[in-house]
Amino acid sequence: MMSLPMPAEDPRHLPNRAVIDPSAITENARAVRSMLGEHTALMAVVKADGYGHGMLDAARAALEGGATWLGVAHPASALALCNAGVDAPILTWLWEPHSARTLLPEVINAGIDVSVGSSAMLTQVSEAARTAGRRARVHLKIDTGMGRGGVLASSIDRTGRALEADDMVSLVGAWTHLASADDPDDPFTDRQVELFDGAVERLAEHVGPVPLQHLANSAAALSRPDLHRDIVRCGIALYGYPPVPGDCALRPAMTLRSSLAMVKPVAAGQTIGYGHIRTLEEPTTLGLVPIGYADGLHRAAGDKASVLVRTASGDVRAPQLGRISMDQIVVDLGTDTAAEPGDEVIVFGDASGAPTAQDWAGAVGTIPYEVLTSVSARVPRDVRA
Ligand SMILES: Cc1ncc(COP(=O)(O)O)c(C=O)c1O
């Protein structure tokens, strides 16, 4: 039997909020859109609940900013978008036999495009299309080096023949995913592009020209105009984090907020947190913030990150001290502080002087994608009007 999580607490009474600013997503989409030629469409990638921002809000905001496609991993997410009345072409690319049996007929019926990355997947889509009584619109995924899903370039002829013989599918697209577009010096991207182009050319010998070709993620959208092709699939840039340096103005769409629970002056020698990894050398004032790893902070960032505290006498950047606990962190407010319980704390986000998800990622050796998608279900999302 399947069980669904039941919130233990009324979200209205929880101390933390992920404040989502849909206008940031709209403006980011507009900024990315302005870098694309008129024949390139912008697909907003809203998988993983819109990178933690809320899938539907993210999708609507990106469409308002000029995105004309939506991309999600799971077919269930694609259906949720359709059922919410979102009227844009959608591509779903990650499914297994169970989802294929239970969801793909409905997905195909709804006119959602489906990615196929193996012969077995082609058979499953074809069966689902037969059940739906409607041809499936398929994008063929070509594995050019990610080694995840996708037909290897070396077996493209076999796939081409199978597609040619299958009257339940229409091949509308061919795509691949770049492994290191965020490192412009890595020649691997060009090797992938070469493999992709060769495979698409051979595919065309079986099925004719493939209408939609796409391979660019945010990094390639921002730094490789030569790879824009028919669609760019952008996620992280729309949420405000450019994976490559450049002058596309983007701003974070999520601000993670908390507030001070307690303020406490302490003497030199005070130890802090589990494992007492931090001992203070000077007296200071500690601030207790009721947010921890159960809310999505990375425990490994302990003692290496900071927050912004908004006190009556101004904003202060307060280093986080010691290990991060499940529900709380301790920050250093300094000796001369006006901070009081109830003062707003910005853990990361869109505020002058505040740390970003990139800063928190840097503290742990991860990427802002993981920081954003880690903000847990315990943190209510407040969507700005
Ligand atoms: C297949 C695919 N395309 C595009 C994206 C978007 O990538 P980014 O967020 O780097 O733009 C993702 C996200 O990981 C993805 O899985």
Side-chain angles (χ1 to χ4, degrees):
M1 208 178 69
M2 187 164 58
S3 77
L4 291 170
M6 183 176 290
E9 290 142 304
D10 183 330
R12 288 170 304 175
H13 303 146
L14 291 171
N16 306 314
R17 290 285 181 277
V19 180
I20 308 300
D21 183 357
S23 72
I25 298 176
T26 300
E27 284 160 28
N28 295 337
R30 211 167 271 142
V32 174
R33 175 62 263 174
S34 73
M35 300 183 70
L36 308 176
E38 63 174 312
H39 299 298
T40 300
L42 172 60
M43 176 188 289
V45 177
V46 294
K47 63 182 182 157
D49 201 23
Y51 286 39
H53 296 65
M55 177 175 70
L56 200 51
D57 290 307
R60 288 188 173 132
L63 291 171
E64 201 180 319
T68 50
W69 278 78
L70 298 171
V72 288
H74 300 158
S77 305
L79 279 175
L81 287 166
C82 262
N83 293 339
V86 170
D87 185 22
I90 303 172
L91 174 65
T92 170
W93 55 73
L94 189 63
W95 44 272
E96 27 54 63
H98 176 74
S99 304
R101 278 191 304 275
T102 54
L103 287 182
L104 283 193
E106 201 183 330
V107 164
I108 293 163
N109 228 332
I112 294 165
D113 290 14
V114 177
S115 171
V116 158
S118 71
S119 310
M121 286 172 85
L122 180 58
T123 306
Q124 289 160 40
V125 169
S126 196
E127 277 166 14
R130 203 158 283 117
T131 307
R134 177 174 174 171
R135 269 182 166 224
R137 287 171 48 94
V138 160
H139 295 228
L140 185 69
K141 169 96 187 269
I142 300 167
D143 178 7
T144 56
M146 274 294 271
R148 306 195 304 194
V151 172
L152 290 167
S154 54
S155 53
I156 204 77
D157 287 308
R158 207 175 110 217
T159 311
R161 283 192 292 274
L163 281 163
E164 200 179 2
D166 194 326
D167 55 7
M168 288 316 296
V169 303
S170 299
L171 185 72
V172 296
W175 68 290
T176 195
H177 196 44
L178 299 173
S180 53
D182 56 346
D183 178 2
D185 295 330
D186 191 339
F188 196 73
T189 300
D190 288 324
R191 288 218 295 278
Q192 286 192 269
V193 176
E194 209 174 296
L195 268 178
F196 178 70
D197 287 343
V200 173
E201 221 169 90
R202 288 218 310 285
L203 194 58
E205 287 168 18
H206 300 277
V207 294
V210 184
L212 300 171
Q213 296 176 27
H214 47 105
L215 64 168
N217 51 8
S218 292
L222 297 179
S223 64
R224 292 286 305 261
D226 57 316
L227 305 185
H228 287 175
R229 307 290 170 90
D230 301 297
I231 304 175
V232 298
R233 306 185 308 269
C234 284
I236 199 71
L238 304 184
Y239 304 105
Y241 290 91
V244 283
D247 39 53
C248 184
L250 304 171
R251 69 182 167 94
M254 181 194 290
T255 300
L256 184 59
R257 286 176 36 190
S258 186
S259 67
L260 286 180
M262 200 184 86
V263 171
K264 178 165 76 175
V266 291
Q270 173 74 47
T271 54
I272 294 159
Y274 288 113
H276 50 85
I277 60 168
R278 175 61 90 112
T279 304
L280 297 176
E281 284 167 14
E282 307 282 341
T284 191
T285 310
L286 301 179
L288 183 68
V289 189
I291 190 165
Y293 61 77
D295 301 290
L297 301 186
H298 284 71
R299 186 173 179 273
D303 217 38
K304 298 193 275 288
S306 66
V307 301
L308 187 78
V309 182
R310 306 201 122 154
T311 76
S313 65
D315 295 351
V316 270
R317 199 63 181 255
Q320 181 271 321
L321 301 174
R323 291 236 161 91
I324 289 173
S325 298
M326 188 182 287
D327 312 297
Q328 47 194 307
I329 57 174
V330 172
V331 299
D332 186 352
L333 296 164
T335 41
D336 183 22
T337 178
E340 286 188 22
D343 283 353
E344 184 184 12
V345 174
I346 300 196
V347 179
F348 62 75
D350 186 26
S352 168
T356 63
Q358 180 71 61
D359 294 328
W360 275 83
V364 202
T366 185
I367 49 178
Y369 302 66
E370 194 182 2
V371 172
L372 295 172
T373 56
S374 294
V375 175
S376 75
R378 178 163 93 163
V379 180
R381 269 60 174 173
D382 257 4
V383 182
R384 274 192 202 148

